[in-house]
Amino acid sequence: MLEGLLSIRATDVLDILLVAFIIYWVPLLIRGTRAVQILLGLLILMGLYVVSKKAGMVTFQWLVGNFLGNILVVLVVVFQSEIRRGLAKIGQWRLFGGGGSAPDPDVIGDIARSAFLLASTRTGAILLLEREMGLSELVEHGKKIDALFSHELSAAIFAPASPIHDGAVVIRGNRIVAAGVILPIPAESSVTREMGTRHRAAFGVASETDAVGVVVSEETGNVTLFFNRVARRTETQEQLRDTLELLFGSQENARERV
């Protein structure tokens, strides 16, 4: 036994660790999505295939066997969204490059102030704050702007009379890079079933990218923060500011207040 342990190479240990990491990481990636039910369905189908093989159910075994024979293609087609998101998360690791620009603390404070001023007048709004994963693909679907963020500009964009008030505003660093951005609406799930259109759109972007979404509801005046597939209702301007500072690493002690 001792000889067997001594024969283990460093590459063997690395191999085991990488496989263990993938097994741990995949469930985290698909948690809370329809992929969980799809994966469960595939596992049940595989179990039925094993049972049919032992029971001698030739027709069912042939049908399911041909389906599972192309399982790699099936997995790519069914889980294309999760695979795309996973590859994007791997690509954003700092090992492969630097991070995106974060807003200055003053701008973060202005964003929080702007959100609650819009909420006080029940003005619906979506503010998307870009982090390390670029949102250039979304920017192409809006009106390009290059201006320092300010509440006055935000209020003008989201004013009901504005022709671009229905879309989202994309913020890169301290600047608004696009307004009137039309966001894709994700498929309905148990998480988004009770959400309105704005909230579902922001949740979809926060699920596919590492962007942070701030949504103001025109029906209730509530302010909701979306990040990492999490929806968090914020009650005060200070709470929103502290959470944004934590997410963008602008303040070391913000973690204690979130």
Side-chain angles (χ1 to χ4, degrees), residues 42-62:
L42 286 173
L43 291 175
I44 293 174
L45 195 61
M46 292 174 68
L48 290 175
Y49 174 74
V50 174
V51 172
S52 67
K53 192 171 183 180
K54 290 185 177 295
M57 301 166 63
V58 179
T59 306
F60 183 82
Q61 178 184 336
W62 174 83

Side-chain angles (χ1 to χ4, degrees), residues 111-131:
I111 291 171
R113 173 174 170 266
S114 176
F116 276 88
L117 286 174
L118 290 169
S120 66
T121 59
R122 299 287 182 91
T123 303
I126 305 178
L127 302 172
L128 288 179
L129 284 70
E130 187 180 81
R131 288 206 276 180

Side-chain angles (χ1 to χ4, degrees), residues 62-187:
W62 174 83
L63 181 64
V64 178
N66 280 289
F67 174 78
L68 294 178
N70 299 308
I71 190 64
L72 184 60
V73 177
V74 172
L75 290 176
V76 171
V77 172
V78 172
F79 297 108
Q80 57 179 314
S81 177
E82 286 72 22
I83 292 173
R84 185 172 63 248
R85 183 169 63 249
L87 292 175
K89 285 184 178 295
I90 293 175
Q92 79 180 79
W93 289 348
R94 292 186 184 275
L95 176 65
F96 296 95
S101 57
D104 293 335
D106 290 342
V107 174
I108 287 178
D110 206 16
I111 291 171
R113 173 174 170 266
S114 176
F116 276 88
L117 286 174
L118 290 169
S120 66
T121 59
R122 299 287 182 91
T123 303
I126 305 178
L127 302 172
L128 288 179
L129 284 70
E130 187 180 81
R131 288 206 276 180
E132 296 185 25
M133 199 178 297
L135 299 178
S136 298
E137 183 178 348
L138 295 177
V139 170
E140 296 297 326
H141 298 287
K143 301 297 182 182
K144 292 185 180 180
I145 299 175
D146 184 17
L148 184 67
F149 181 89
S150 66
H151 166 64
E152 292 78 11
L153 180 56
S154 177
I157 290 173
F158 291 114
S162 170
I164 52 176
H165 75 279
D166 275 338
V169 159
V170 176
I171 302 169
R172 179 178 297 154
N174 297 329
R175 309 184 73 80
I176 295 177
V177 295
V181 177
I182 305 302
L183 304 180
I185 307 296

